[in-house]
């Protein structure tokens, strides 16, 4: 393969989150709270990728995420790859894991659930990770991937 050009400039220090489905880019930004930080952030979307037809990439300068922070995006970007950059070099690559428990982020599928009627933060146990299924801590109903809505 020919040496490709970087479509989004290289960063000196920080984290590159690659292989995000293009349609989830802004949700990933919001889940990671990147709309509220002062770090330099660059992103690109609808880039060509062999794995996903349309992928997005986010580069956050000067930030290294904790595993439980980054794993929150696994629900919507399970194929995401993290590249830890120090002095322009990729020093580590990580994948994301779906956590065992999800607090906030997802909506319960049950319209009668307390979380849909009172200001209560959602809370789920992940009962399946391949085809995501979340069991609500409050109403015990299962929200499956097809019905998954991100708050
Ligand atoms: N990157 C960056 N700044 C750097 C080094 C790398 O923004 N100083 C980005 C690259 O643009 C790429 C990602 O980090 O999107 C991973 O870099 P690298 O491992 O060099 O690229 P690939 O070999 O293409 O990795 P992969 O196949 O895992 O995507
Ligand atoms: Zn519920």
């Amino acid at each position: 393969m020919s040496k490709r050009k970087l479509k989004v400039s290289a960063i000196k220090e920080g984290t590159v989150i690659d292989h995000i489905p293009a349609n989830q880019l802004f949700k990933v930004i919001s889940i990671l709270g990147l709309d509220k930080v002062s770090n330099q952030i660059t992103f690109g979307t609808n880039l060509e990728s062999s794995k996903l037809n349309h992928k997005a990439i986010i580069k956050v300068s000067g930030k290294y995420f904790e595993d439980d922070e980054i794993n929150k995006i696994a629900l919507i970007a399970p194929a995401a790859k993290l590249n830890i950059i120090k002095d322009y070099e990729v020093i580590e690559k990580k994948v994301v894991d779906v956590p065992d428990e999800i607090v906030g982020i997802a909506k319960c599928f049950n319209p009668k659930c307390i979380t849909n009627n009172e200001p209560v933060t959602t809370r789920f146990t992940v009962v399946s990770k391949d085809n995501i299924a979340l069991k609500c801590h409050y109403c015990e109903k299962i929200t499956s991937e097809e019905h998954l809505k991100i708050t």
Side-chain angles (χ1 to χ4, degrees):
M1 197 169 48
S2 64
K3 191 81 186 152
R4 77 219 156 107
K5 281 185 285 184
L6 289 184
K7 294 207 176 80
V8 182
S9 298
I11 59 171
K12 183 165 189 284
E13 317 278 340
T15 305
V16 173
I17 312 167
D18 204 353
H19 301 289
I20 299 166
N23 60 349
Q24 305 289 13
L25 171 65
F26 293 100
K27 279 185 197 158
V28 169
I29 288 174
S30 145
I31 287 173
L32 295 178
L34 296 178
D35 46 352
K36 297 181 185 75
V37 298
S38 56
N39 303 64
Q40 280 191 18
I41 299 171
T42 50
F43 59 81
T45 189
N46 294 323
L47 307 174
E48 284 154 31
S49 160
S50 50
K51 286 181 203 139
L52 300 167
N53 287 336
H54 295 284
K55 73 156 191 176
I57 189 166
I58 305 173
K59 303 189 177 188
V60 189
S61 291
K63 186 162 173 70
Y64 302 102
F65 296 89
E66 298 294 338
D67 286 352
D68 57 356
E69 202 178 359
I70 203 73
N71 284 341
K72 292 177 180 179
I73 72 169
L75 273 190
I76 57 164
K81 300 270 181 317
L82 266 82
N83 298 274
I84 315 303
I85 314 289
K86 294 226 165 114
D87 203 15
Y88 287 106
E89 298 291 330
V90 177
I91 60 148
E92 195 184 347
K93 285 181 183 271
K94 292 189 193 176
V95 294
V96 295
D97 292 318
V98 178
D100 297 327
E101 204 189 32
I102 309 277
V103 178
I105 305 171
K107 263 175 73 71
C108 179
F109 171 61
N110 173 14
K112 292 189 177 147
C113 180
I114 187 166
T115 61
N116 287 316
N117 296 283
E118 308 273 343
V120 174
T121 304
T122 60
R123 191 166 167 166
F124 303 91
T125 304
V126 179
V127 289
S128 166
K129 295 192 178 186
D130 300 330
N131 217 325
I132 299 284
L134 306 177
K135 185 176 184 191
C136 180
H137 171 78
Y138 297 97
C139 71
E140 303 198 323
K141 293 273 188 297
I142 305 277
T143 300
S144 58
E145 195 160 337
E146 312 79 276
H147 297 125
L148 188 61
K149 287 211 172 66
I150 303 300
T151 54

